[in-house]
Each structure stands twice: as C-alpha cells, then as structure tokens.
Amino acid sequence: MNLFTTLASWPISISLVTVLAIACSSVDEHPAPKPAAPAAPAKPAPAPAPAPAPAKSEPAKAAKTKAVEVEGVISAVGQRTITFQMERKGKVREEVVGVDDKTKIEKGGTNVKLRDLQETDKALINYEPEAYTPAIGIKVTGKGEIQKVGGDD
C-alpha cells in the first residue's frame, strides 16, 4: 500500500499544480484607480482640457449618430409617430419619426401631448435621422402648408 501511495501521489500533485497555474494565469489584474487630487481651496483651477478620444472601430461610429434639428410641416399624426414634410435639395421630402414618453413636445410655450399636434403645424423636430429612435423634441413654431411630395432622387 505504501508503494501505491507514493506512485499515485506524484501524478495527482502535478495535476493540482497545473490546474493552479492555469487558474492563476487567467485572472485579470487591474491596477487600483488613482485617488482624486484634492482641490485647491483658495482659487478654483481651470477646467482641464478633455483627453483625446480613443480610436473607435467602424461599428461603434455607425452606432453613435448625431441628432439634427429640422424645420418641417406636420402632415400626419399617428398614435406613436408624426409624419412631417421638409424641403431638401429643392424638393419636398416626407419623413416619419417616432414619439415616446421622453419626447419633449412644446406648443405655444407649454408642454403638450402628441394628440395636441395637428396637421399643418410648422415645427422644429430634433431627432436622429439615421437611427430608429424616437424624436428628442418637437417644438411647434406656427402654421405651414402641406405640399405635394416630390419624387425620389
């Protein structure tokens, strides 16, 4: 029995050391964050210049779109959307944008609901044209005329 214990203990010991080595090498070590420097009490320091943004991959750039604000005339109001006409490249175009609870809708200087918007309301629409996200804001500025929509390019 003594010979069996001696012969069996070596492979078991080597296996345990190997597992331990693999487990230790797979642990990510992250340095502790630097503590914030205390602010000078007498005189406020100027704001530091923003650090340059790290290079982003192409999919990340495509995912981050920029909101635009366009002026258009509302041509239809749905349950969760508005359709509006705007002039682009000399032609009248029609676009649809979603509206949700976070969309700020203003008419006559007060916040209103989607159902308070009407056809022919001229509005500034703040939205992301390349994204399938609801409008950020809609601000009615007056009345406009619904026009015949031009053809595609």
Side-chain angles (χ1 to χ4, degrees), residues 77-150:
V77 179
Q79 290 182 347
R80 303 302 283 162
T81 62
I82 62 164
T83 305
F84 63 95
Q85 294 180 343
M86 64 180 191
E87 190 171 326
R88 184 173 57 204
K89 296 181 183 178
K91 294 183 179 179
V92 175
R93 307 285 182 178
E94 201 163 56
E95 292 203 24
V96 178
V97 67
V99 177
D100 68 1
D101 296 334
K102 295 177 186 174
T103 304
K104 182 178 179 184
I105 305 173
E106 189 177 316
K107 185 174 183 178
T110 60
N111 290 337
V112 295
K113 301 282 184 189
L114 177 63
R115 65 178 172 262
D116 298 320
L117 297 179
Q118 300 174 349
E119 289 183 11
T120 72
D121 280 344
K122 184 185 266 188
L124 293 172
I125 298 112
N126 189 350
Y127 73 113
E128 295 177 9
E130 301 299 323
Y132 293 103
T133 57
I136 299 164
I138 301 168
K139 183 177 182 180
V140 177
T141 59
K143 288 289 182 187
E145 248 181 66
I146 298 175
Q147 302 175 16
K148 183 178 178 182
V149 177

